[in-house]
């Protein structure tokens, strides 16, 4: 009964370092999403995957890449982290008619 | 393209007063609409959703919202605010078909403050 699991919960990176945020869901959902949340900006969609094998850019994709490894897992990669990518990152999943369910978030700081 | 506008980044009410948080959307196809709540340093929790059934939707914690197609609105209300309602509230729209292919778009959020 885990729902959406994100790892890690906290991370500090130096400018230029790379890292991958992991997301897994156990609800057999087709669609998965990555968002970033910044004060006053709400949640902005980075990338989403409507189904296994497909990914599409959202509102703010620059500096990020994603992989839909299988139906359960959707990872977000920062190839060369920048201070502007300091944010809280949320993963979510849903089926077509269902309500998107969110993970607990990853708080990333880039120094 | 779909979008969500939440009118008022900050709403302040007295305990026991009516809560009204406004949300307008645009979507080229029939949408699904959601309200989420976020307490400090926590994730997002679903309050309620509209998926083309009844236009008046009841959610958790005494909240409800009414879908008005003619006004492209989905405002969130609660008759009597409680201190525990203080949080940030997000309206979201999900397209049901077409090029957007189930993309989920959020508004910028409304911070609700409840005064004793």
């Amino acid at each position: 009964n885990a729902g959406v699991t994100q790892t890690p919960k906290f991370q500090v990176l130096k400018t230029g370092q790379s890292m991958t945020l992991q997301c897994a869901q156990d609800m057999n959902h087709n669609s998965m999403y990555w968002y970033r949340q910044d004060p006053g900006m709400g949640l902005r969609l980075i990338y989403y995957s409507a189904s296994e094998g497909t990914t599409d850019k959202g509102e703010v994709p620059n500096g990020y890449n994603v992989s839909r490894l299988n139906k359960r897992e959707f990872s977000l990669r920062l190839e060369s982290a920048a201070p502007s990518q300091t944010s809280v990152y949320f993963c979510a999943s849903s089926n077509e008619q269902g309500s998107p369910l969110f993970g607990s978030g990853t708080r990333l700081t880039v120094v | 393209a779909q979008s969500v506008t939440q009118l008022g980044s900050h709403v302040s009410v007295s305990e026991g007063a009516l809560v009204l948080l406004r949300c307008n959307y645009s979507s080229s196809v029939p949408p699904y609409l959601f309200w989420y709540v976020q307490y400090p340093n926590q994730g997002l929790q679903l309050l309620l959703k509209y998926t083309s059934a009844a236009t008046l939707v009841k959610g958790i914690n005494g909240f409800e919202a009414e879908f008005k197609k003619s006004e492209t609105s989905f405002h969130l209300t609660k008759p009597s605010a409680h201190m525990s309602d203080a949080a940030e509230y997000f309206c979201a729209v999900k397209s049901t078909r077409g090029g957007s292919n189930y993309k989920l778009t959020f508004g910028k959020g409304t911070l609700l403050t409840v005064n004793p």
Side-chain angles (χ1 to χ4, degrees), chain B residues 28-50:
Chain B
S28 58
V29 298
Y32 293 156
L33 295 161
F34 307 89
W35 276 99
Y36 286 85
V37 60
Q38 185 180 37
Y39 299 100
N41 297 314
Q42 294 189 24
L44 280 81
Q45 179 184 0
L46 179 71
L47 272 179
L48 49 79
K49 65 179 181 182
Y50 166 78

Side-chain angles (χ1 to χ4, degrees), chain A residues 2 21 27 32-33 35 56 59 66-67 69 72-73 83 91 95 97-98 103 106-107 110-111:
Chain A
L21 307 184
M27 296 165 291
M32 297 186 74
Y33 311 84
Y35 292 88
D56 288 282
E59 206 181 331
V66 289
S67 296
L69 305 169
R72 289 187 65 248
E73 298 172 289
C91 176
N95 57 24
Q97 294 191 5
T106 296
R107 190 172 294 274
V110 183
V111 298

Side-chain angles (χ1 to χ4, degrees), chain A residues 31 33 35 37 40-43 45 48 50 56-58 90 94-104 107, chain B residues 32 34 36 38 41-44 46 49 51 88 90 94-96 99-109:
Chain A
S31 300
Y33 311 84
Y35 292 88
Q37 184 178 26
M41 302 295 289
L43 281 85
L45 183 64
Y48 69 108
D56 288 282
K57 293 179 181 180
F90 287 100
S94 75
N95 57 24
E96 283 71 18
Q97 294 191 5
S99 311
L101 184 65
F102 283 79
S104 57
R107 190 172 294 274
Chain B
Y32 293 156
F34 307 89
Y36 286 85
Q38 185 180 37
N41 297 314
Q42 294 189 24
L44 280 81
L46 179 71
K49 65 179 181 182
T51 56
E88 191 157 23
F90 293 93
K94 183 167 76 167
S95 63
T96 56
S100 296
N101 206 12
Y102 308 119
K103 188 168 68 172
L104 179 65
T105 302
F106 281 83
K108 293 186 187 301

